[in-house]
Amino acid sequence: DARLEKPGWATATFDDKAWQPAALVAAPTEKLSAQRSEPIKVMRTMAVAKWTEAKPGVWVADFGQNLAGFTRLSVSGPAGTTITLRHGERRAADGTVDQKAIAEHVYYPRFQEDRYTLAGRGTETFETRFAFHGFQYVEVTGLPAAPTASTLQALQARTAFDRAGSFSCSNDLLNRIEKLAEWSYESNFVGFPTDCPHREKNGWTGDAQLACEMGLLHYRGEAAYTRWLDDLADAQRPDGKLPCISPTPGWGYNVLDGPAWEGAYVLIPWWLYEYRGDQRILAEHYPRMAKWVDYYAAGAKDDIVTYGLGDWCPWKTQTPSPITSTGYMVQCARIVARTAGLLGKADDQKRYEALADRLAAGFNKAFYNADAGTYGNGGQTSLSCALYQDVVPADQKPRVVQALVDAVAKADGHLDVGILGSKYLLRALSDNGRADVAYQIASQSTQPSWGWWLGQGATTMWETWGTGASLNHIMFGDISAWFMEYLAGIQPDPAQPGFQHFLVKPTPVGDLTSVHATHDSPYGRIVVEWERHDGQFQLNLSVPPNSTASVWLPGDKAPREVSSGVSRLSCKLPDAK
């Protein structure tokens, strides 16, 4: 209520005798530390793309983009006039803002709603200071006159880490999918990684780990992740159990959790090490990482972890959760073993290597159908999980890869996975010589696919392969990391983390004729540009100072070693499949 503001309250001459004086209190006794991550800032200011009058006096602003942030209102009118702004990502049939899908968990009758009462002192500007919303549309009521171009602006807000990567290619559909992922990632890092910027704003650990590699390739978010991992460590119980959300008010330890979610506490520190080369994050969290692995190992039955949320939001096929839970425990036990080795804890390394081997053996015993060469129900997530988590015996891998290719063909070249499978699927195919099938899936424009979302008007990634839930989630966003690591081919070297030495494995596939990608590594900018024409492949590569790269051109049996500077490499393309 702007009428309550006291003119001149912030000046030295204002009479503040009626104000309550400041109280002198004891200083904090805890150790104070500097903020460990970047602050939240306004990163973009956006104009209204289109105004419509849904009903007399009810105006709806469309910004043309789903985003996280808030709005700035500039208006003049009589004192006492109250203007209401309702933010949402959908419009109802009558053109007003529809909040049903994002307000379902809210008890308070008003949701994502700002109200401003004019003081009547010329043009007044208002923006909320203590909240942010997820929205594309804003319903405005109470305006003294029809809105103008200056009435409302959207202010995109997020944690202010720098950009660190870009990707574009000759396939415009993939370029548009890339933008969906970038907008969703930014919308879901306002202080800490979240699931959505409106309905919950919760720090879902599963969403965080699924989007982490995409985030580290595109943004300098390592400080923000470091701070959030401290929150997660604070939430760990004495027995090692972690919640599925962080920060948590106390729930999430026995509902909607499990290794695929809680494993973020092991996976993200490891990826920070791989992509940034900083071993300190592993040293700091190793004891708690090991305690968490021990917790689930103790509860395993016949070396199978049965507890946990499975492949969330699948298209049709529901994957048994013991498959994904056990698969993640294999991966996390291996990471803890490698971390122990880095830290000089040889006995721990042997113990966790043995645990990983037992869990992998249990996985194969319980889920592998040797007659069919399939795992579990033979679905895409079951098969790609086994391949991605590297539990398939070497002599069986060709059969399992073929079974996965057949499962995709059965779905008419489409995916049939949830959020976990979406991380495994494209990577498992590409790592096993079938990037052509992965590209076919990524390029689809019919349901279910990322391209189908675009056809429905999406500007961010959705929560499901349908239309009924949130329209701004990041949990299906790892496809953007796949663009960078497989199509462009920029990959960290697991043996030499931090990109002082890195791998370049470009993948000319399908109808793709060119790719341009950059990544700002700790040593400087990496640039990959490739194109193909008339059976020839040309790669332009920029390697930062003090860095080296191992480069595989299409058809290469061994890498070409490249030092810092700009290199131009070419080859004749091998015959396509």
Side-chain angles (χ1 to χ4, degrees):
D1 190 339
R3 294 172 299 178
L4 300 178
E5 185 175 359
K6 306 297 183 182
W9 69 271
T11 65
T13 58
F14 180 73
D15 183 1
D16 62 359
K17 292 178 181 178
W19 287 21
Q20 180 179 344
L24 186 65
V25 298
T29 57
E30 298 294 325
K31 180 181 178 181
L32 300 181
S33 61
Q35 179 169 298
R36 300 186 69 176
S37 66
E38 297 85 353
I40 300 166
K41 290 184 178 181
V42 172
M43 306 302 288
R44 290 185 181 95
T45 300
M46 302 166 59
V48 175
K50 182 180 180 181
W51 280 104
T52 57
E53 189 173 19
K55 297 178 182 179
V58 179
W59 295 90
V60 176
D62 178 0
F63 287 97
Q65 174 64 54
N66 205 333
L67 69 142
F70 45 93
T71 44
R72 177 183 291 152
L73 175 70
S74 296
V75 68
S76 60
T81 302
T82 296
I83 299 170
T84 301
L85 311 174
R86 294 180 66 245
H87 301 71
E89 57 180 11
R90 283 186 174 87
R91 286 184 292 187
D94 63 1
T96 59
V97 167
D98 181 358
Q99 295 183 335
K100 291 178 183 177
I102 59 175
E104 61 179 334
H105 300 309
V106 180
Y107 292 103
Y108 191 61
R110 296 186 179 94
F111 178 65
Q112 294 208 145
E113 181 175 303
D114 304 334
R115 282 166 290 151
Y116 180 72
T117 300
L118 275 62
R121 305 188 189 110
T123 300
E124 302 175 48
T125 301
F126 166 76
E127 58 190 60
T128 183
R129 297 184 182 185
F130 304 110
F132 74 94
H133 311 307
F135 66 97
Q136 177 174 338
Y137 305 100
V138 182
E139 181 183 299
V140 185
T141 56
L143 286 174
T148 67
S150 62
T151 299
L152 201 65
Q153 294 175 306
L155 282 64
Q156 186 221 15
R158 64 167 172 86
T159 300
F161 35 58
D162 293 335
R163 285 296 303 256
S166 63
F167 173 87
S168 61
C169 68
S170 58
N171 185 327
D172 185 59
L173 181 71
L174 302 193
N175 294 335
R176 294 168 66 200
I177 293 171
E178 168 75 8
K179 294 305 178 185
L180 296 186
E182 291 177 9
W183 274 101
S184 285
Y185 186 85
E186 294 183 13
S187 296
N188 284 291
F189 218 123
V190 184
F192 55 90
T194 59
D195 60 328
C196 56
H198 36 59
R199 188 183 67 206
E200 300 171 43
K201 296 183 172 76
N202 274 329
W204 284 95
T205 49
D207 304 55
Q209 65 95 351
L210 289 168
C212 180
E213 290 185 275
M214 176 263 169
L216 292 174
L217 286 164
H218 289 78
Y219 301 91
R220 294 302 303 268
E222 52 268 28
Y225 280 119
T226 299
R227 192 206 60 77
W228 182 70
L229 287 167
D230 288 344
D231 293 344
L232 197 49
D234 288 343
Q236 188 175 38
R237 289 184 170 172
D239 62 0
K241 185 70 171 68
L242 290 163
C244 58
I245 63 167
S246 176
T248 175
W251 71 268
Y253 293 92
N254 56 8
V255 62
L256 301 176
D257 54 340
W261 270 249
E262 301 160 54
Y265 188 55
V266 174
L267 296 165
I268 293 177
W270 184 258
W271 287 325
L272 288 172
Y273 169 65
E274 277 197 330
Y275 287 85
R276 299 294 184 260
D278 190 348
Q279 190 172 305
R280 293 174 300 173
I281 192 76
L282 295 173
E284 180 179 352
H285 291 280
Y286 172 77
R288 292 184 179 88
M289 291 162 56
K291 180 180 284 189
W292 176 79
V293 169
D294 290 343
Y295 172 87
Y296 274 105
K301 184 177 181 180
D302 297 326
D303 295 319
I304 296 297
V305 179
T306 59
Y307 181 77
L309 196 60
D311 195 20
W312 191 246
C313 294
W315 172 236
K316 288 183 179 179
T317 303
Q318 181 64 61
T319 304
S321 60
I323 289 179
T324 51
S325 290
T326 307
Y328 271 107
M329 289 311 303
V330 173
Q331 184 182 19
C332 290
R334 286 173 176 160
I335 288 173
V336 170
R338 291 169 190 152
T339 302
L342 290 171
L343 300 179
K345 300 178 182 295
D347 290 343
D348 281 6
Q349 181 180 7
K350 292 177 182 177
R351 181 161 66 91
Y352 288 106
E353 285 174 348
L355 172 61
D357 291 344
R358 289 200 310 272
L359 292 170
F363 187 101
N364 281 293
K365 181 179 179 181
F367 306 126
Y368 187 53
N369 181 342
D371 293 335
T374 61
Y375 282 85
N377 55 13
Q380 293 180 19
T381 295
S382 296
L383 293 162
S384 60
C385 174
L387 291 165
Y388 173 80
Q389 303 292 16
D390 195 20
V391 299
V392 183
D395 63 338
Q396 297 299 306
K397 190 169 287 188
R399 299 182 67 207
V400 177
V401 172
Q402 187 58 52
L404 179 57
V405 171
D406 293 343
V408 174
K410 186 178 178 181
D412 195 25
H414 288 70
L415 55 83
D416 182 13
V417 296
I419 61 174
L420 305 182
S422 74
K423 173 92 176 181
Y424 312 146
L425 181 60
L426 303 184
R427 292 171 177 269
L429 287 165
S430 300
D431 285 337
N432 290 282
R434 296 312 305 264
D436 58 321
V437 179
Y439 183 77
Q440 179 188 24
I441 294 168
S443 302
Q444 294 287 357
S445 59
T446 51
Q447 194 177 26
S449 66
W450 293 272
W452 182 80
W453 288 343
L454 287 166
Q456 310 311 301
T459 60
T460 45
M461 295 213 157
W462 291 4
E463 184 181 14
T464 71
W465 299 116
T467 59
S470 160
L471 303 183
N472 195 347
H473 265 61
I474 186 53
M475 58 193 191
F476 284 111
D478 189 67
I479 187 174
S480 173
W482 180 77
F483 292 160
M484 292 279 278
E485 294 193 316
Y486 291 88
L487 297 187
I490 302 172
Q491 300 179 14
D493 181 357
Q496 302 180 67
F499 283 95
Q500 186 170 23
H501 180 79
F502 59 96
L503 314 178
V504 179
K505 299 180 177 181
T507 308
V509 66
D511 60 0
L512 203 61
T513 58
S514 65
V515 161
H516 180 278
T518 67
H519 175 64
D520 293 335
S521 78
Y523 293 89
R525 174 161 291 187
I526 298 165
V527 181
V528 166
E529 295 178 311
W530 66 254
E531 62 180 21
R532 59 173 173 167
H533 182 69
D534 291 337
Q536 295 293 317
F537 181 85
Q538 174 76 43
L539 171 69
N540 296 330
L541 172 65
S542 179
V543 177
N546 301 314
S547 296
T548 56
S550 296
V551 182
W552 282 261
L553 295 189
D556 280 356
K557 301 298 184 184
R560 310 175 188 206
E561 301 304 325
V562 177
S563 58
S564 59
V566 177
S567 300
R568 293 175 174 83
L569 306 172
S570 62
C571 70
K572 183 179 179 181
L573 285 168
D575 292 336
K577 287 182 180 289

